[in-house]
Amino acid sequence: DQQVKQNSPSLSVQEGRISILNCDYTNSMFDYFLWYKKYPAEGPTFLISISSIKDKNEDGRFTVFLNKSAKHLSLHIVPSQPGDSAVYFCAASWWGGSEKLVFGKGTKLTVNP
Amino acid sequence: DTEVTQTPKHLVMGMTNKKSLKCEQHMGHRAMYWYKQKAKKPPELMFVYSYEKLSINESVPSRFSPECPNSSLLNLHLHALQPEDSALYLCASSQGHTPARVWGGYTFGSGTRLTVV
């Protein structure tokens, strides 16, 4: 039973446009969410995070939105660049869950020039 | 140094072999992790070491044996593996006991691609 779901295995976007990657979760105990980016043959790299006390966190071209009532978060990349092409993982944790992160299956983003 | 280094990058081993995966970080992180990732699946937690002590074992079969010789090193000893254990093994580290709440989350290594034949 997947507690973190990324229902779109892939997404293709034109350079300069907005990329929106979605993530849903089922465990209401989750209170901290992270996005990781992964290039082929490399480990995942931390991108941005958000605490459940916020509904938005922004870092440069990357913004994460959290809708707790819907148990949904999204990552917006504006403007998208070809170098953003990678697999993006959503991850979640909870206070009392110690060091454990639960990952989604990932969404492969392709940004076309 | 802001990296987690994993060796080897690729490993092919027979089902009767004994091998070890190595992981090293020099960021002063006190928590280290082993994750397993199969194709088109999310990374799955195997083990967590916190302050050099095993704090989480996610019911991993005993053919996988972790070891943390010191705060900078993490090993995963492999013995009598099965072909279904073929996967990407990722090591990660973080600053402390509740890493998800520490800015930056985990720092991952590039992984070891393991093939069991």
Side-chain angles (χ1 to χ4, degrees):
Chain A
D1 179 32
Q2 270 219 285
Q3 297 185 67
V4 177
K5 300 177 183 178
Q6 293 178 258
N7 291 320
S8 297
S10 63
L11 174 67
S12 187
V13 169
Q14 209 61 28
E15 181 178 4
R17 299 291 184 103
I18 185 172
S19 295
I20 300 177
L21 296 100
N22 293 305
C23 178
D24 297 294
Y25 61 95
T26 57
N27 189 339
S28 57
M29 299 291 290
F30 288 148
D31 63 353
Y32 199 84
F33 305 90
L34 305 91
W35 284 93
Y36 285 82
K37 180 167 83 170
K38 185 179 186 300
Y39 292 117
E42 294 184 11
T45 303
F46 170 77
L47 196 57
I48 192 168
S49 63
I50 188 166
S51 165
S52 61
I53 63 173
K54 295 186 174 183
D55 54 19
K56 177 183 174 181
N57 189 24
E58 192 172 352
D59 183 2
R61 296 186 296 116
F62 302 92
T63 303
V64 57
F65 295 92
L66 175 63
N67 181 335
K68 283 185 295 182
S69 61
K71 295 191 177 67
H72 176 82
L73 62 154
S74 60
L75 174 67
H76 293 212
I77 306 174
V78 181
S80 302
Q81 299 174 353
D84 296 329
S85 297
V87 177
Y88 289 79
F89 290 98
C90 172
S93 73
W94 66 105
W95 188 259
S98 190
E99 302 91 330
K100 187 173 180 176
L101 288 182
V102 179
F103 285 86
K105 285 187 176 181
T107 297
K108 183 176 181 180
L109 173 67
T110 302
V111 180
N112 300 303
Chain B
D1 187 353
T2 57
E3 287 186 347
V4 173
T5 303
Q6 288 188 246
T7 55
K9 292 196 183 303
H10 301 274
L11 178 63
V12 179
M13 61 183 290
M15 289 188 283
T16 58
N17 290 161
K18 284 185 181 181
K19 295 285 184 184
S20 296
L21 308 185
K22 296 186 182 301
C23 175
E24 189 169 0
Q25 58 88 13
H26 295 288
M27 294 175 281
H29 287 179
R30 300 313 300 268
M32 297 185 77
Y33 314 78
W34 282 114
Y35 274 81
K36 173 182 176 178
Q37 186 179 15
K38 302 203 78 161
K40 298 185 180 180
K41 297 280 188 182
E44 293 182 356
L45 183 65
M46 300 175 71
F47 301 103
V48 180
Y49 272 83
S50 181
Y51 292 84
E52 298 159 51
K53 293 192 189 308
L54 184 64
S55 62
I56 295 178
N57 176 341
E58 289 286 295
S59 303
V60 179
S62 59
R63 57 186 184 269
F64 296 92
S65 175
E67 179 196 18
C68 188
N70 59 57
S71 60
S72 299
L73 294 173
L74 185 66
N75 299 322
L76 186 62
H77 302 298
L78 314 172
H79 175 53
L81 294 194
Q82 303 297 311
E84 58 264 30
D85 296 321
S86 299
L88 178 68
Y89 288 83
L90 291 163
C91 175
S93 68
S94 66
Q95 289 187 14
H97 187 68
T98 52
R101 282 153 185 76
V102 175
W103 180 252
Y106 296 170
T107 300
F108 279 94
S110 298
T112 294
R113 177 72 62 185
L114 174 67
T115 304
V116 182
V117 298

